[in-house]
């Protein structure tokens, strides 16, 4: 039984390069147990064939508003009534405009007008088209009418531009659909995630820190939210947008992060320590800027508090996931951290000049007492989804 078992989803696919991802949306919806019927616009059919979508959905694809056979039984009304949810992915600027104008000039727009089901729209277009005043107005109109906009994401676009306009990834869309129906493996749980570096002040203008961008931790927070959890994200100093639906608390130093974590721990079911917390800090923070008088300067450093180990010592505390950032001997060091710091899982990554830190990609192997799982190399978003699935499985396993 999947989290969407027997849910009836009408998937509209518009005319955008991202239409090929519509096939993956169908596959994932089906894998989650949903019943899927696909409506392909004329534009969409230029990018992906009905045959592919038919094979994946297991049903004929609907394309024509004035199909005599279907319309003998008022096909567009039947489709609109059948749907428990309409998901349009991708939605082009043109399709959003037609929906906002209330047009019924093809099967998809007509079904949207005729349905009582909620409508979710995942836009996909060039970033300038997304920023255009007309698109902004259409988006506003749709939202005012209760249409749920999903994304778009930011990133590289098929046209060579980079910016907002990419369709949200299929797995994220399906997780949102699952959440809409009250599903998700972490539904009802509270998750706290630490992310990013810490800064340990030397003087009023300088600090010790590291290359963590916060992307891995932010991806874990977003994945936990997609899985239905309430999420608190304790962030070090990073330049990232807060994932939708996530509560964020910004911190600076290790001491600051520890205090924030401990004051949010009550009621927390899962704690994920993805932050690259500084292990040492200057023993003294100088009140004034250090002058460059000496030819060689020595700094005395002291240990910072270990946040992960502190949380692991709390009685009846949450399920705990630590990270291990290593440059060699990944498994040995990860298993050592598992024993020394006391988490339930350790997600280990090799880090270096070109991997782990400050990249959209990573590779993770997760260790626990008596087992491990290689999540492979993928985007941090995909790895975060894999990690969340594994956390849910291990929690069930541990009872
Ligand atoms: O932020 P990105 O650019 O996306 O990069 C991702 C990442 C490489 C930072 C991330 O995947 C990662 O590995 N995070 C943990 C980095 C780290 O500090 O690893 P560590 O092996 O030094 O620490 C082990 C664990 O103890 C970690 O869970 C860490 O959060 C925790 N720790 C460490 C020191 C400390 N004082 N307190 C802690 O809680």
């Amino acid at each position: 039984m999947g989290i969407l078992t027997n849910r009836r989803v009408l998937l509209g696919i518009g005319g955008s390069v991202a239409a090929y991802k519509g096939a993956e949306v169908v596959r994932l919806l089906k894998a989650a147990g949903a019943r899927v019927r696909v409506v392909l616009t004329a534009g969409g059919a230029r990018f992906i064939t009905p045959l592919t979508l038919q094979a994946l959905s297991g049903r004929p694809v609907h394309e024509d508003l004035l199909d005599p056979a279907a319309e003998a039984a008022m096909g567009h009304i039947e489709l609109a009534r059948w749907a428990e949810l309409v998901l349009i992915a991708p939605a082009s600027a043109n399709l959003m405009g037609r929906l906002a104008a209330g047009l019924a000039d093809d099967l998809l727009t007509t079904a949207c007008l005729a349905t009582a089901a909620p409508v979710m729209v995942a836009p996909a277009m060039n970033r300038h088209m997304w920023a255009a005043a007309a698109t902004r107005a259409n988006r506003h109109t749709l939202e005012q009418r209760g249409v749920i906009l999903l994304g778009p994401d930011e990133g590289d676009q098929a046209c060579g531009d980079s910016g907002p306009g990419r369709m949200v990834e299929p797995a994220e869309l399906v997780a949102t659909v699952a959440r809409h129906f009250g599903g998700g493996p972490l539904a009802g749980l509270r998750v706290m995630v630490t992310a990013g570096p810490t800064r340990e002040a030397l003087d009023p203008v300088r600090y010790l820190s590291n290359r963590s961008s916060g992307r891995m931790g932010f991806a874990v927070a977003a994945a936990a939210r997609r899985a239905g959890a309430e999420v608190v994200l304790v962030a070090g100093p990073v330049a990232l947008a807060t994932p939708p639906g996530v509560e964020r608390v910004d911190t600076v130093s290790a001491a600051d992060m520890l205090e924030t974590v401990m004051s949010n721990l009550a009621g927390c079911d899962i704690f994920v320590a993805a932050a690259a917390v500084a292990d040492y800090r200057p023993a003294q923070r100088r009140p004034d800027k250090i002058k460059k008088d000496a030819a060689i300067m020595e700094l005395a450093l002291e240990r910072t508090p270990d946040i992960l180990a502190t949380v692991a010592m709390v009685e009846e505390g949450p399920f705990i996931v630590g990270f291990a950032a290593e440059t060699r001997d990944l498994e040995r060091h990860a298993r050592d951290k598992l024993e020394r710091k006391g988490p339930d899982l350790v997600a280990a990554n090799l880090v270096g000049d070109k991997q782990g830190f400050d990249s959209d990609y990573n590779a993770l192997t997760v260790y626990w007492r008596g087992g491990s799982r290689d999540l492979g190399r993928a985007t941090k978003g995909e790895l975060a989804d894999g990690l969340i699935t594994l956390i849910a499985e291990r929690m069930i396993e541990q009872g």
Side-chain angles (χ1 to χ4, degrees):
M1 296 281 277
I3 48 178
L4 289 173
T5 298
N6 286 333
R7 292 297 187 179
R8 300 186 305 275
V9 181
L10 185 65
L11 176 67
I13 298 185
S16 154
V17 182
Y20 77 93
K21 292 187 183 172
E24 180 67 356
V25 177
V26 178
R27 193 185 69 75
L28 292 175
L29 284 170
K30 291 284 290 178
R35 291 158 65 191
V36 184
R37 291 171 79 175
V38 179
V39 178
L40 193 56
T41 67
R46 304 291 294 271
F47 289 95
I48 184 161
T49 70
L51 201 59
T52 306
L53 299 165
Q54 177 174 317
L56 289 166
S57 67
R59 281 172 173 258
V61 169
H62 306 272
E63 290 183 85
D64 189 0
L65 175 60
L66 302 175
D67 176 353
E71 285 308 309
M74 296 293 279
H76 64 283
I77 301 294
E78 189 272 323
L79 267 181
R81 283 201 189 125
W82 175 86
E84 281 182 281
L85 175 76
V86 178
L87 169 64
I88 304 182
S92 62
N94 174 53
L95 181 50
M96 283 179 67
R98 290 190 292 123
L99 289 168
L103 296 186
D105 58 350
D106 69 0
L107 184 57
L108 183 55
T109 49
T110 306
C112 285
L113 273 187
T115 193
V119 177
M120 292 181 171
V121 167
M125 65 196 72
N126 166 271
R127 70 187 173 100
H128 294 296
M129 294 171 77
W130 175 248
T135 309
R136 287 208 309 272
N138 290 335
R139 171 193 170 165
H140 181 69
T141 304
L142 292 173
E143 283 181 325
Q144 292 286 97
R145 291 190 195 134
V147 170
I148 302 158
L149 267 282
L150 308 176
D153 278 348
E154 290 200 29
D156 293 340
Q157 303 196 303
C159 52
D161 276 0
S162 184
R166 279 169 66 99
M167 189 179 95
V168 169
E169 289 303 319
E172 272 188 62
L173 293 177
V174 174
T176 305
V177 169
R179 207 164 48 244
H180 167 80
F181 285 116
L186 301 188
L189 300 183
R190 192 171 165 80
V191 177
M192 180 160 35
V193 182
T194 66
T198 62
R199 284 182 188 170
E200 311 300 330
L202 270 166
D203 69 13
V205 296
R206 303 184 181 95
Y207 53 79
L208 298 181
S209 191
N210 60 62
R211 288 178 40 221
S212 169
S213 64
R215 282 184 233 181
M216 190 69 241
F218 273 57
V220 172
R225 182 73 192 116
R226 284 195 294 278
E230 236 181 82
V231 183
V232 180
L233 173 59
V234 181
V238 296
L240 293 177
T242 310
V246 166
E247 181 191 333
R248 171 174 176 175
V249 187
D250 286 317
T251 61
V252 179
S253 65
D256 202 9
M257 190 176 268
L258 174 67
E259 193 186 321
T260 305
V261 165
M262 296 314 281
S263 63
N264 280 280
L265 203 59
C268 172
D269 300 290
I270 300 170
F271 175 65
V272 183
V277 184
D279 290 325
Y280 290 90
R281 65 187 169 201
Q284 263 194 337
R285 179 190 186 274
R286 309 282 180 89
D288 295 309
K289 186 179 167 204
I290 302 166
K291 293 291 173 199
K292 56 171 180 189
D293 300 329
I296 291 182
M297 176 163 170
E298 287 185 355
L299 279 177
L301 302 176
E302 64 181 12
R303 292 291 298 266
T304 55
D306 194 301
I307 302 169
L308 177 62
T310 309
V311 173
M313 281 188 305
V314 172
E315 267 183 45
E316 307 212 351
F319 183 92
I320 300 173
V321 183
F323 270 67
E326 310 296 344
T327 51
R328 56 194 290 197
D329 298 335
L330 195 63
E331 175 161 6
R332 185 164 64 82
H333 290 304
R335 290 206 178 279
D336 175 57
K337 279 177 182 151
L338 202 54
E339 294 315 317
R340 265 192 307 112
K341 299 199 183 202
D344 297 279
L345 300 179
V346 167
N349 41 194
L350 281 170
V351 294
D353 288 348
K354 295 194 178 119
Q355 57 186 6
F357 285 103
D358 201 14
S359 152
D360 287 332
Y361 290 84
N362 200 3
L364 285 181
T365 308
V366 186
Y367 298 95
W368 60 93
R369 288 164 202 88
S372 69
R373 184 177 299 171
D374 184 358
L375 299 181
R377 181 178 157 74
T379 64
K380 287 181 176 171
E382 289 162 338
L383 288 170
D385 282 326
L387 180 61
I388 291 297
T389 304
L390 180 56
I391 290 172
E393 282 174 29
R394 295 301 310 155
M395 284 181 79
I396 292 168
E397 186 93 8
Q398 288 189 10

